[in-house]
C-alpha cells in the first residue's frame, strides 16, 4: 500500500483529468511544431478546409499519423510498464529495461531475416511471440528478486536485453541491406513509419489496454498478498496469465510499429504511481495517459533540439530516462 | 555469502579460501584448455600448420612462411584473446564481488557504454570515405574506447556515491541506467553514418579481435601487470567483503574505500580490454561465475576467473575465425562477440533454473 493509504489520506481526484487535458495540448504541439512550425490558423485550415497548401500536406500526411502513432505507442508502453510494476512488485519494471522489448525486437528481426514476416501484422505477430517468451523469463526472475531486493531484477533484465541485443546484432551483421533498414528501426522512431501503421496497431493496442484494465482489478487483490488474494477468490495463475497476455500485446504492437523505445514505461509508471497512489486500476489508466503524453512530448523535443535533423523518440527517452532511473533509486522504495 | 543465509552443510561446503583443492584444479584445467586452444588457434587457418611447425616457428627455427603466419598474423590475435579474456574476467569477478550480484559486469554496469559511445562516434565521424583506416583505426579507436570507458566508470562512481559511500545496490541500478542511455546514444549514432561505415561499427560493438597487433597489446599488458599484484594484496579483503558490509567492517576492512578502489581497478581493466577488442559481451559475466561454481568458493576466484575467461575467449575466437569456413561459407570471419553472446544463453538459463530450484547464488 502507498504511504497515502497507510496514512489514511484519500487518493487525489485530479490527476487523471489533468492528464486527459494534457493530451490535446501535446497533440496540437506535435501537429504544429517541427522543422516547419505551423501557426494555429494553418492547423485549422488543414483540418477543416484542406486545399493542398504546404501546411495542409505537412499536417495531414506527415504529422497526423505520427502524432496518432505516438499516442498509441505511448499508451501501450505506459500501460505495459504499470502492469509489469504491479506483477513484479518492483518500481523499476518496464518492458524496455526488463528485456521484453528486446525479445520482441529480436523476434521481428529474425522473422524479417528468415523471410517469414513481411507485413506489419506479421511483424506484430512475431513481436508478440518474442515478447511473450521474454516476459515469461522476467516473471520467473522476478519471484526471487522480491526476497533479494529490487536491484537484482533490473540487472537480470539488463542481462536478458544485452543477450537478445547481441543476437539481434549478429543477425543483421551478415547482410548490408538488412543492416540499413534495421538501424533506423532499432533506434525507436515515430518518423516514416507509414500512414497505415497507426490503423493496423490500433486494434492490438485497444485489445491490450482492455486486458490491462481487466487485469488491474486482479492486481489490486494481488497487492494484498498471494494467500489473501486466493482466499478472496482470485485465481492467481489466471491473473498472471492475463497480465502476461496484456503486456505481450501492448509491447508487441509498440515494438513492431516503432522499434524498441526504452524508459517510457518506467517514466509513465513512476508518474502514475506518484499521482494516483496505490490503486492499480487508476494506475493503469494514468500510466496509459502519461505514456501517451510523454511519447508525443519526447517526439516533439526530438524535433526541436536537433536543428534541421531530428532526434528520434528512442534517443530522447533514453537520455531523459536514465536520470529518472537514478532518481528513483534514491528513494530506495524499490519493492512496491 | 552472509552466514545467516546458508545452512550449516552449505557453509561447510563453501570455502572462502581460493587456494583450496577445487580452486586449484579449476585453475589447472582452465590453464590447460587455454594452452590447448592457443596452440590449435595458431595452427589452424587458411594456411594449416602442424603443431610441430608452430613450435618451430615460435622458437625461430622454422620455415619463414610459417614464422610469418604464426608470429605476425595469428600470434597477436591469440595473445589478444588470452589477455582480453583474462582482463574482462578479472574485471567481472571484481565487480561481482563488490556488487554482491552474480550478474554484475562491465557491460551491464555501463562501463562499456562509454567506450562504445566514444568508439562508434570515432568510426562514424572518421569513416566518411567508406571505411575506417590508418590512423583513425589504429590509434583513434582504441584511445577513444579507453577514454570513454574510464569516463563512464567515473560517471558510475559519481552517481552511485551516497554520502561518501559506494552503495552496491545503487551502483547496479545506476550502471543499468548508464548502459541504457549509452545504448540509446549508440543507436542514434548508427543512424547518422553511411551504411558502409555502420557495419564496422556494429562489428566493433560485437567485439572483434581481427585487428590485434603486438603494439596494441602493450596497454593491456601494463594494466594486467599493475592489477594482478594489487588484487593479490586485496584478496583477503575481497573474501571478507562478500560476507556483508557489517561483517567485513567488524573484521577491520575499510569497506567503502576498498570498494571504490576495486571499482577503479575493474574500470581500468575493462576499458583497456575494450580498447583492444571492442565490446565483447557476456565474457565478464559468465567466466567468473563459471570459475566460482567449479571452485566452490563464495566469490569468483581471481586466478580461476582469469584462466577461464582466457580459455573461453581463445576458443570463441577460434570458432569465430573458422566456423563459417568449416561449414562451407568461405573464409568469412564473424565477430567473436557473436560466440560469447551465444555462451550467454545457456548461462542465463542456468541462472534462471537455479533460481527456480531455490538455491542460493550470491546475495545482492
Amino acid at each position: 500500500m502507498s504511504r497515502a493509504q497507510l496514512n489514511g489520506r484519500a487518493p487525489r481526484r485530479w490527476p487523471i483529468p489533468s492528464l486527459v487535458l494534457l493530451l490535446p495540448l501535446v497533440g496540437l504541439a506535435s501537429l504544429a511544431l517541427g522543422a516547419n512550425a505551423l501557426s494555429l490558423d494553418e492547423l485549422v485550415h488543414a483540418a477543416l478546409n484542406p486545399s493542398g497548401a504546404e501546411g495542409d500536406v505537412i499536417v495531414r500526411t506527415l504529422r497526423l499519423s505520427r502524432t496518432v502513432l505516438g499516442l498509441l505507442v505511448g499508451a501501450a508502453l505506459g500501460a505495459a510498464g504499470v502492469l509489469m510494476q504491479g506483477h513484479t512488485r518492483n518500481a523499476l519494471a518496464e518492458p524496455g529495461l526488463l528485456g521484453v522489448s528486446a525479445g520482441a525486437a529480436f523476434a521481428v528481426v529474425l522473422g524479417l531475416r528468415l523471410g517469414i514476416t513481411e507485413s506489419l501484422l506479421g511483424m506484430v505477430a512475431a513481436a508478440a511471440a518474442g515478447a511473450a517468451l521474454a516476459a515469461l523469463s522476467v516473471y520467473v526472475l522476478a519471484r526471487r528478486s522480491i526476497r533479494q531486493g529490487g536491484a537484482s531484477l533490473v540487472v537480470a533484465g539488463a542481462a536478458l536485453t544485452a543477450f537478445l541485443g547481441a543476437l539481434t546484432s549478429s543477425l543483421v551483421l551478415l547482410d548490408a541491406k538488412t543492416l540499413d533498414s534495421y538501424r533506423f528501426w532499432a533506434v525507436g522512431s515515430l518518423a516514416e513509419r507509414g500512414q497505415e501503421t497507426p490503423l493496423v496497431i490500433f486494434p492490438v493496442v485497444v485489445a491490450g489496454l482492455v486486458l490491462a484494465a481487466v487485469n488491474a482489478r486482479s492486481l489490486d487483490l494481488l497487492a494484498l498478498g498471494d494467500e489473501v488474494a486466493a482466499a478472496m477468490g482470485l485465481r492467481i495463475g489466471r491473473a498472471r496469465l492475463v497480465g502476461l497476455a496484456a503486456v505481450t500485446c501492448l509491447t508487441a504492437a509498440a515494438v513492431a510499429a516503432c522499434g524498441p523505445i526504452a524508459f517510457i514505461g518506467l517514466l509513465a509508471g513512476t508518474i502514475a504511481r506518484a499521482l494516483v497512489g496505490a490503486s492499480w486500476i487508476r494506475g493503469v489508466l494514468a500510466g496509459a495517459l502519461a505514456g501517451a503524453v510523454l511519447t508525443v512530448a519526447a517526439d516533439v523535443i526530438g524535433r526541436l533540439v536537433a536543428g534541421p535533423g531530428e532526434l528520434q523518440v528512442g534517443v530522447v527517452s533514453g537520455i531523459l530516462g536514465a536520470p529518472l532511473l537514478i532518481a528513483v533509486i534514491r528513494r530506495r522504495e524499490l519493492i512496491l | 555469502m552472509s552466514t545467516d543465509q546458508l545452512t550449516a552443510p552449505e557453509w561447510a561446503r563453501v570455502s572462502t579460501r581460493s587456494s583450496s583443492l577445487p580452486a586449484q584444479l579449476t585453475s589447472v584445467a582452465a590453464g590447460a584448455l587455454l594452452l590447448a586452444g592457443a596452440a590449435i588457434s595458431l595452427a589452424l587457418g587458411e594456411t594449416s600448420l602442424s603443431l610441430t611447425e608452430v613450435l618451430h616457428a615460435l622458437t625461430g627455427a622454422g620455415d619463414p612462411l610459417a614464422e610469418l603466419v604464426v608470429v605476425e598474423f595469428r600470434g597477436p590475435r591469440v595473445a589478444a584473446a588470452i589477455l582480453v579474456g583474462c582482463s574482462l574476467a578479472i574485471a567481472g569477478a571484481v565487480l561481482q564481488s563488490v556488487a554482491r550480484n552474480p550478474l554484475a559486469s562491465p557491460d551491464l554496469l555501463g562501463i562499456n557504454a562509454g567506450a562504445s559511445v566514444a568508439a562508434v562516434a570515432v568510426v562514424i565521424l572518421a569513416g566518411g570515405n567508406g571505411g575506417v583506416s590508418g590512423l583513425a583505426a589504429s590509434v583513434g579507436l582504441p584511445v577513444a574506447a579507453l577514454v570513454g570507458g574510464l569516463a563512464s566508470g567515473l560517471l558510475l562512481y559519481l552517481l552511485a556515491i551516497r554520502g561518501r559511500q559506494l552503495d552496491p545496490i545503487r551502483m547496479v541500478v545506476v550502471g543499468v541506467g548508464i548502459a541504457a542511455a549509452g545504448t540509446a546514444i549508440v543507436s542514434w549514432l548508427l543512424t547518422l553514418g553511411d551504411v558502409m561505415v555502420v557495419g564496422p561499427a556494429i562489428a566493433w560493438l560485437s567485439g572483434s579481435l581481427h585487428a590485434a597487433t603486438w603494439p596494441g597489446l602493450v596497454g593491456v599488458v601494463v594494466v594486467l601487470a599493475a592489477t594482478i599484484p594489487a588484487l593479490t594484496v586485496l584478496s583477503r579483503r575481497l573474501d571478507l567483503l562478500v560476507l556483508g558490509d557489517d561483517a567485513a567492517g567488524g573484521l577491520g576492512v575499510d569497506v567503502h574505500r576498498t570498494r571504490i578502489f576495486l571499482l577503479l581497478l575493474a574500470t581500468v581493466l575493462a576499458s583497456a580490454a575494450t580498447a583492444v577488442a571492442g565490446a565483447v559481451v557476456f565474457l565478464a559475466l559468465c567466466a567468473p561465475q563459471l570459475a566460482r561454481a567449479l571452485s566452490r568458493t563464495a566469490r569468483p576466484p581471481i586466478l580461476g576467473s582469469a584462466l577461464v575467461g582466457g580459455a573461453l575467449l581463445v576458443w570463441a575466437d577460434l570458432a569465430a575465425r573458422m566456423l563459417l569456413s568449416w561449414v562451407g561459407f568461405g573464409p568469412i570471419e564473424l565477430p567473436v562477440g557473436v560466440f560469447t553472446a551465444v555462451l550467454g544463453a545457456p548461462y542465463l538459463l542456468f541462472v534462471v533454473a537455479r533460481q527456480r530450484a531455490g538455491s542460493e547464488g550470491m546475495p545482492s
Side-chain angles (χ1 to χ4, degrees):
Chain A
M1 296 195 212
S2 76
R3 284 219 183 97
Q5 285 192 334
L6 285 173
N7 292 339
R9 264 176 29 212
R12 289 166 281 188
R13 293 265 162 224
W14 47 264
I16 290 186
S18 62
L19 283 173
V20 172
L21 280 178
L22 271 177
L23 269 183
L25 280 177
V26 288
L28 273 177
S30 177
L31 289 173
L33 297 174
N36 290 312
L38 302 174
S39 70
L40 205 53
D41 293 336
E42 289 171 296
L43 284 182
V44 172
H45 185 261
L48 300 176
N49 216 357
S51 61
E54 188 189 340
D56 299 342
V57 170
I58 292 178
V59 169
R60 293 182 85 92
T61 63
L62 294 177
R63 291 190 187 159
L64 184 61
S65 70
R66 182 171 178 154
T67 307
V68 170
L69 188 61
L71 292 172
L72 280 176
V73 165
L77 290 174
V82 172
L83 220 55
M84 288 185 77
Q85 285 168 13
H87 278 284
T88 60
R89 310 287 300 279
N90 189 310
L92 296 173
E94 72 126 22
L97 277 178
L98 296 191
V100 182
S101 295
F106 172 65
V108 168
V109 173
L110 186 64
L112 286 173
R113 199 80 177 82
L114 295 176
I116 47 183
T117 59
E118 296 291 347
S119 67
L120 181 59
L121 262 184
M123 284 168 71
V124 172
L133 282 174
L136 262 177
S137 320
V138 166
Y139 173 64
V140 171
L141 290 169
R143 300 191 65 171
R144 183 138 182 261
S145 94
I146 295 179
R147 285 203 307 274
Q148 279 187 341
S152 62
L153 179 65
V154 172
V155 179
L160 190 61
T161 308
F163 167 64
L164 290 166
L167 285 186
T168 314
S169 298
S170 321
L171 281 179
V172 299
L173 252 179
L174 295 172
D175 177 28
K177 194 162 150 291
T178 316
L179 178 59
D180 205 14
S181 44
Y182 165 75
R183 62 187 175 129
F184 289 106
W185 178 82
V187 74
S189 165
L190 297 174
E192 291 165 29
R193 292 301 171 201
Q195 294 265 356
E196 68 289 346
T197 304
L199 293 173
V200 172
I201 65 164
F202 180 75
V204 186
V205 172
V206 166
L209 286 175
V210 166
L211 281 174
V214 164
N215 199 233
R217 291 201 59 221
S218 313
L219 274 180
D220 276 330
L221 285 176
L222 280 171
L224 301 171
D226 280 10
E227 295 87 5
V228 178
M232 293 183 72
L234 179 71
R235 306 246 301 265
I236 295 185
R238 200 166 68 169
R240 299 286 187 203
L241 208 58
V242 172
L244 183 75
V247 167
T248 301
C249 269
L250 294 167
T251 311
V255 171
C258 301
I261 303 179
F263 286 128
I264 294 291
L266 177 69
L267 286 160
T270 310
I271 292 175
R273 267 201 346 277
L275 289 180
V276 306
S279 155
W280 289 107
I281 302 178
R282 291 164 69 238
V284 167
L285 181 58
L289 290 170
V293 168
L294 284 167
T295 306
V296 176
D299 186 46
V300 171
I301 292 174
R303 272 184 263 162
L304 294 178
V305 297
E310 61 176 49
L311 280 182
Q312 295 85 352
V313 172
V315 181
V316 176
S317 69
I319 297 177
L320 292 183
L324 176 79
L325 184 66
I326 294 165
V328 169
I329 184 67
R330 277 176 186 273
R331 301 166 67 212
R332 275 194 163 255
E333 294 163 355
L334 287 187
I335 304 299
L336 298 178
Chain B
M1 306 185 190
S2 311
T3 48
D4 57 320
Q5 287 188 11
L6 293 173
T7 63
E10 284 171 344
W11 176 240
R13 269 208 321 264
V14 166
S15 163
T16 57
R17 300 194 59 215
S18 35
S19 55
S20 63
L21 185 61
Q24 289 173 329
L25 283 178
T26 307
S27 300
V28 167
L33 270 176
L34 191 154
L35 287 173
I40 296 178
S41 202
L42 285 172
L44 287 182
E46 272 189 48
T47 323
S48 276
L49 304 168
S50 73
L51 288 176
T52 36
E53 286 176 301
V54 168
L55 200 57
H56 287 318
L58 284 174
T59 52
D63 179 41
L65 176 67
E67 250 188 69
L68 184 72
V69 166
V70 167
V71 174
E72 291 299 322
F73 294 159
R74 294 180 195 160
R77 189 165 176 152
V78 170
I82 297 174
L83 291 170
V84 168
C86 289
S87 303
L88 286 176
I90 296 177
V94 168
L95 279 177
Q96 283 167 12
S97 305
V98 168
R100 286 199 287 270
N101 187 312
L103 289 174
S105 71
D107 23 330
L108 294 186
L109 295 192
I111 296 174
N112 283 0
S116 303
V117 168
V120 171
V122 165
V123 171
I124 301 287
L125 294 176
N129 296 329
V132 185
S133 58
L135 206 61
S138 60
V139 174
L141 203 48
V143 168
L146 184 66
V147 170
L150 292 174
S152 56
L154 180 64
L155 187 63
L156 177 66
Y157 164 75
L158 289 174
L159 290 174
I161 278 280
R162 195 186 158 112
R164 298 178 75 198
Q165 303 165 0
L166 188 64
D167 176 20
I169 293 183
R170 199 176 151 99
M171 186 178 91
V172 154
V173 176
V174 168
V176 169
I178 294 177
T183 306
I185 298 176
V186 166
S187 304
W188 171 64
L189 285 171
L190 288 178
T191 62
L192 291 182
D194 183 66
V195 69
M196 299 310 295
V197 163
V198 170
I202 294 200
W204 188 92
L205 286 170
S206 310
S208 169
L209 289 169
H210 81 276
T213 57
W214 289 115
L217 295 178
V218 168
V220 184
V221 171
V222 165
V223 166
L224 271 176
T227 325
I228 291 183
L231 282 174
T232 318
V233 165
L234 288 172
S235 163
R236 194 66 196 149
R237 264 171 270 196
L238 266 177
D239 286 334
L240 294 176
L241 261 187
V242 172
L243 291 178
D245 282 10
D246 297 331
L251 287 165
V253 177
D254 186 343
V255 170
H256 304 295
R257 283 172 64 177
T258 309
R259 211 175 255 153
I260 291 170
F261 184 62
L262 288 170
L263 175 63
L264 174 70
L265 275 183
T267 303
V268 171
L269 271 170
S271 304
T274 309
V276 169
V280 178
V281 294
F282 279 115
L283 193 72
L285 185 61
C286 302
Q289 287 298 313
L290 269 177
R292 185 185 76 86
L294 292 171
S295 312
R296 298 178 171 258
T297 51
R299 65 163 176 91
I302 299 296
L303 181 63
S305 309
L307 290 171
V308 169
L312 280 176
L313 198 58
V314 163
W315 283 96
D317 188 48
L318 179 63
R321 262 200 310 132
M322 303 301 302
L323 189 68
L324 287 186
S325 318
W326 285 335
V327 300
F329 274 121
I332 306 178
E333 290 184 5
L334 290 170
V336 72
V338 170
F339 290 90
T340 59
V342 166
L343 270 182
Y347 177 70
L348 275 175
L349 289 175
F350 170 66
V351 168
V352 169
R354 285 194 69 192
Q355 295 191 348
R356 290 199 67 188
S359 58
E360 289 286 335
M362 293 174 69
S364 73

